Amino acid sequence: MATTVSIHGMWSTRLAFILAAAGSAVGLGNIWRFPYTAGEYGGGAFVLVYLLCVAGIGIPIMMAEILLGRRGRQSPINTMRTLAEREGKPVAWSLLGWMGILAGFLILSFYSVIAGWTLAYAVRAAGGAFTGIDATASKAMFDGLVGDGERLLAWHTIFMVMTVMVVARGVASGLEQSVKWMMPALFVLLLVMVVYAGWAGDLGAAVRYLFAPDFARLQEKGGEAILSAMGQAFFSLSLGMGAIMVYGSYLRHDASIARSTVMIAATDTTVALLAGLAIFPMVFAHGLEPGSGPGLIFVTLPIAFGEMPGGALFGTLFFALLVVAAWTSSISILEPVSAWLVENRGFSRVRAAIIGGAGAWLLGIVCLLSLNHWSEYEVAGKGVLDLFDYLTANILLPLGGILIAIFAGWVLPRAATLDELGGTDRPGYRLWRFLIRYVAPAAVALVLLNGIGLFKAIGLA
Ligand code: TRP
């Protein structure tokens, strides 16, 4: 039967698990990626599709990831192998873990580069660099940073070291101790930002933009927009690569997975919407463009901060908030591979974190060079950083999600999942089982194939 504890340690309480998983989920995905992606696809209708993906696909898959992790009690690779062996199924299921490690390296490499931008901007805001800045100057400031490979390397390195430092200290004294104070700080900062934006910006316009669906724009972008909404849900909830699975492996057996998942997903979604309510009021009050892409918060927000009362202080707070959010996420991306290195290579925790972090750091250098010295090299019209972002969120994570759903819904016996999800066969359990067996795999597969243009290519759409 399932071992009761992990060799890596355990969360001390269910709340610690929820904070850690919410810390993983809440990150650049919510505050940087969600607003600009919603902006690119026209606002409200995208948000609606996103919410449907979180509820119908994200929540059941998150429950599946946590329960697999808790039954296996190891890194995702070994968890999948152990669980498959126990059911007499091919050990090739451990490939799911390997795919997650690959996705993790790709994500962490560009994630750390973007987190580096937020570090740079926190320092700039504190130094008063935004005061009186206009659109041209702000664009020039952003281009100046992104075009400066050495500067990007310095910030990327600092952020990766921060990440490695936490993971090196282990589950109890590293991960748990840091989320315990960072998550509350993050909520307070975010609330301050929303109140400030509502007071100094155009809250009404932001609310209309985020919540009044414009289906024309969504239809015009078609399958690509739906795939982006689903990819955003996977990315934002940290699903499909084993981060939530490894966090689940440190969760006590008596804690409710369903209730924890609802809290984590609700927190993540609330933060994404609040981030929109902190950002768009400032964007609209200053007549700026909501659909301006990845530069949205870095180019448009400084203009707004530069004009508003207390802008230097609140600008600093905003970018500090982003750093904290990114930090509690990046540790969860590094954790699966670190756990695996400890289990299979006999590394100490410190050595494992350093080796894993160094790998992502090297790959990150390729990402940051793709923004300047190597910007002429493109694959499918995208530089390396954009390509890693697109490939992971829109392809690898959904694929991982399908496999997790199939494993939890079809490979594991009903009794095993029932045992993890409370032991009594209630309607809630039957709903989960229906979603994980049929709805989630089919919906993710359809959205994925449609989004990459397969149906169009074979003349079905
Ligand atoms: N969810 C985080 C964010 O929104 C990023 C993240 C952390 C992640 N762990 C992950 C994304 C695992 C995919 C998979 O910023």
Side-chain angles (χ1 to χ4, degrees):
M1 262 291 72
T3 23
T4 48
V5 293
S6 160
I7 63 159
H8 306 288
M10 298 289 283
W11 306 119
S12 65
T13 60
R14 185 172 81 105
L15 179 65
F17 165 72
I18 292 174
L19 286 178
S24 167
V26 172
L28 294 174
N30 304 60
I31 306 172
W32 164 71
R33 205 175 187 281
F34 175 77
Y36 92 75
T37 315
E40 278 181 343
Y41 293 107
F46 176 92
V47 174
L48 191 65
V49 177
Y50 172 76
L51 294 176
L52 287 176
C53 289
V54 169
I57 299 172
I59 290 183
I61 292 185
M62 185 179 284
M63 289 172 62
E65 261 203 49
I66 299 171
L67 86 81
L68 293 182
R70 190 163 76 176
R71 267 191 115 63
R73 289 264 186 252
Q74 296 155 83
S75 68
I77 295 172
N78 291 325
T79 282
M80 293 307 297
R81 169 175 296 119
T82 307
L83 295 180
E85 267 171 358
R86 207 182 280 162
E87 304 307 329
K89 293 293 183 322
V91 290
W93 275 104
S94 62
L95 284 175
L96 171 58
W98 285 105
M99 203 172 87
I101 299 288
L102 170 68
F105 273 118
L106 297 177
I107 294 172
L108 187 54
S109 69
F110 77 80
Y111 205 82
S112 172
V113 173
I114 313 279
W117 299 357
T118 65
L119 277 169
Y121 266 65
V123 172
R124 287 173 186 204
F130 303 159
T131 315
I133 204 171
D134 63 7
T136 326
S138 179
K139 181 95 176 60
M141 181 157 97
F142 182 63
D143 291 343
L145 173 68
V146 170
D148 185 343
E150 285 169 33
R151 211 172 264 259
L152 291 183
L153 177 61
W155 289 117
H156 163 55
T157 308
I158 292 173
F159 186 79
M160 195 63 84
V161 169
M162 288 164 57
T163 303
V164 167
M165 270 169 40
V166 175
V167 175
R169 300 178 60 109
V171 179
S173 27
L175 307 185
E176 178 167 333
Q177 287 305 318
S178 49
V179 296
K180 218 167 69 184
W181 65 269
M182 285 199 255
M183 291 310 287
L186 193 147
F187 289 125
V188 174
L189 280 176
L190 185 61
L191 287 180
V192 170
M193 285 309 304
V194 174
V195 171
Y196 174 68
W199 165 68
D202 187 347
L203 188 61
V207 170
R208 277 192 299 282
Y209 185 73
L210 282 170
F211 299 109
D214 169 9
F215 288 103
R217 170 105 180 139
L218 193 74
Q219 237 160 18
E220 176 195 314
K221 296 273 186 168
E224 182 202 320
I226 314 264
L227 176 59
S228 293
M230 188 179 77
Q232 175 62 29
F234 273 97
F235 188 87
S236 191
L237 294 169
S238 302
L239 297 178
M241 69 143 285
I244 293 295
M245 196 185 291
V246 84
Y247 275 19
S249 74
Y250 311 140
L251 178 65
R252 286 206 317 245
H253 189 75
D254 57 5
S256 161
I257 290 180
R259 264 184 289 151
S260 309
T261 299
V262 169
M263 302 250 324
I264 297 159
T267 305
D268 186 64
T269 306
T270 307
V271 171
L273 295 175
L274 285 179
L277 290 179
I279 291 163
F280 288 118
M282 299 194 255
V283 170
F284 290 124
H286 297 268
L288 303 166
E289 174 51 51
S292 57
L296 178 68
I297 60 167
F298 296 99
V299 178
T300 52
L301 283 189
I303 308 171
F305 284 129
E307 284 178 16
M308 292 187 303
L313 172 65
F314 287 101
T316 312
L317 285 180
F318 178 81
F319 286 105
L321 159 79
L322 261 162
V323 171
V324 172
W327 199 3
T328 57
S329 297
S330 61
I331 56 180
S332 78
I333 314 178
L334 187 55
E335 179 63 20
V337 70
S338 305
W340 181 79
L341 287 170
V342 170
E343 288 164 10
N344 285 47
R345 291 280 171 274
F347 286 7
S348 69
R349 188 78 203 183
V350 175
R351 181 139 173 246
I354 292 175
I355 301 282
W361 178 76
L362 282 174
L363 210 52
I365 296 178
V366 182
C367 290
L368 67 86
L369 285 172
S370 78
L371 301 170
N372 38 70
H373 298 289
W374 294 354
S375 59
E376 72 267 32
Y377 301 113
E378 294 198 331
V379 183
K382 294 183 193 327
V384 174
L385 192 151
D386 291 343
L387 189 71
F388 283 8
D389 181 354
Y390 180 87
L391 269 184
T392 50
N394 291 7
I395 313 270
L396 286 178
L397 300 180
L399 267 181
I402 294 177
L403 293 175
I404 287 164
I406 293 176
F407 193 87
W410 297 91
V411 177
L412 278 189
R414 193 174 194 278
T417 52
L418 185 59
D419 174 44
E420 289 296 335
L421 296 179
T424 40
D425 191 355
R426 281 171 306 202
Y429 174 76
R430 271 174 251 146
L431 173 64
W432 172 80
R433 193 162 153 86
F434 175 70
L435 290 173
I436 208 72
R437 278 165 77 93
Y438 303 101
V439 180
V444 178
L446 281 175
V447 172
L448 186 58
L449 296 176
N450 181 42
I452 59 177
L454 189 85
F455 298 145
K456 258 206 193 84
I458 59 174
L460 278 177

